[in-house]
Amino acid sequence: MKKQLKVLAIGAGWRGSNSRSLFSGFTKLGCDIRVIETDGYFYNYTIPERLYMKVRKLPFKAKFQKFNKTIERTIDSYQPDILFVVKGLWVTEEIIQYAKSKGITTIHFHPDFLFDDRYHTSQILDKAILAYDIVVTAKTTEVEKYKQFGCQYVHFMKYAYDPDIHHPIKLTNQEIPIFKTDVAFVGRMELPRADALNEIAEANYDLKVWGTKWDKIPKSYKLNRFCEGRPIFCEEMAKVFQGAKVSVGFLTTLSTEQHTARTFEIPACGGFFLGTRTAEHMDIFKQGVEADFFSSKEELVEKVAFYTRNEDMRSKIAQKGYDKVIKMDATYESRVKEILVFSEIELSNGVLLR
């Protein structure tokens, strides 16, 4: 008897999150998927909750227990084949072991750093991670660290773009003043990023910076004039990349990062990608043909100067970058296929072949 693959997914459910895009990938493959969203449990903490977490390193006990009990009850009622957890800061080891006792394959994907960025982990996750059957990471440097920590089956996969969100969008006349600019950056503030972008601001380029923590940069920075003061997501982000002559792709300084989701999202939106020079970036795109790269803030400013003046070359590179990510099928659906292959789960139109 044919059996549709059933997936119980745990993670953020807001549109534009890589967790939701991964969950959508399962759906597009024909799987039966049920999602327990973490948004309602663990976002928008009250001040008392924040103080409690700072001391106890846990959310309020009632909320934490309710969350894990919901997972347990859903395992019993839904009887999934896979428990797929994205980030899972508050999913306990006991829940993972309970799922495994039911014959469920447990898979964990962390979109951030588990070992080098302690903001994106928890004592609960540190303990639970060893219980998962399979661990998936998009960070090359994390693979060996997971194995040294004791995780036996670790799969590296690249980030992706979501074609339902990341695609070229023609700006309206009303949108052009909002999104049209020489240079754009979307992401969290880190001081090296602020220093580099301030050099661009000082060189008198039109600049738009979207994201969080940009109110923390030095007050003396000219860059302050160009910070939009909010994060941006989904189609609005696509419009940012469409409207900018150059979209900068910084990597974090918290660890040795090689590429990010922006690596694929910017070209998929038809934007010109100017990213940090790494081995992975140069393996994905031909330098000066499908994207371009920089290794210092001086080189970044030089490349900005060159490409803002050379529209024809910039447009050709952006088009070839777009063609490349389409040809690569660098989508979340494709990444889910990779995970299933690594897990030795064979599917055809969502139906298990074994």
Side-chain angles (χ1 to χ4, degrees), residues 3-130:
K3 183 181 186 300
Q4 189 177 22
L5 182 70
K6 297 172 71 174
V7 180
L8 175 57
I10 316 294
W14 52 273
R15 189 166 180 271
S17 63
N18 46 33
S19 49
R20 177 162 167 174
S21 293
L22 281 165
F23 302 160
S24 176
F26 280 105
T27 301
K28 289 177 180 180
L29 289 174
C31 302
D32 180 359
I33 181 168
R34 189 166 298 181
V35 178
I36 297 176
E37 296 183 5
T38 53
D39 311 46
Y41 289 93
F42 304 116
Y43 288 118
N44 299 317
Y45 293 114
T46 63
I47 293 175
E49 282 181 297
R50 291 182 185 277
L51 293 172
Y52 181 87
M53 288 182 69
K54 189 171 184 178
V55 175
R56 300 297 298 273
K57 310 302 181 184
L58 282 172
F60 280 162
K61 187 175 181 180
K63 182 182 288 188
F64 174 73
Q65 290 179 336
K66 182 181 178 181
F67 172 65
N68 281 280
K69 193 65 179 177
T70 299
I71 300 173
E72 182 183 326
R73 288 173 176 166
T74 308
I75 287 172
D76 290 339
S77 61
Y78 181 53
Q79 298 181 1
D81 301 293
I82 292 175
L83 176 64
F84 183 74
V85 179
V86 177
K87 192 169 285 190
L89 299 185
W90 312 118
V91 179
T92 65
E93 179 191 16
E94 289 74 21
I95 285 294
I96 305 307
Q97 295 291 7
Y98 183 72
K100 291 170 70 172
S101 74
K102 300 283 186 179
I104 299 167
T105 300
T106 57
I107 303 173
H108 182 273
F109 170 65
H110 203 321
D112 300 298
F113 290 97
L114 180 67
F115 299 101
D116 293 342
D117 179 3
R118 303 310 292 174
Y119 177 78
H120 291 293
T121 190
S122 68
Q123 293 177 359
I124 298 297
L125 177 56
D126 286 350
K127 187 176 179 183
I129 196 68
L130 294 172

Side-chain angles (χ1 to χ4, degrees), residues 141-167:
T141 54
E142 293 276 280
V143 174
E144 192 56 37
K145 292 176 183 178
Y146 274 112
K147 291 180 178 179
Q148 290 175 357
F149 195 67
C151 300
Q152 189 172 2
Y153 297 102
V154 184
H155 175 61
F156 167 75
M157 74 171 195
K158 292 185 176 72
Y159 285 101
Y161 75 95
D162 187 335
D164 295 335
I165 298 172
H166 308 116
H167 52 80

Side-chain angles (χ1 to χ4, degrees), residues 304-322:
V304 165
F306 178 80
Y307 284 112
T308 52
R309 289 197 305 264
N310 290 275
E311 182 177 356
D312 185 57
M313 180 177 288
R314 186 180 71 243
S315 297
K316 286 179 179 177
I317 293 174
Q319 181 62 51
K320 288 184 178 180
Y322 172 82

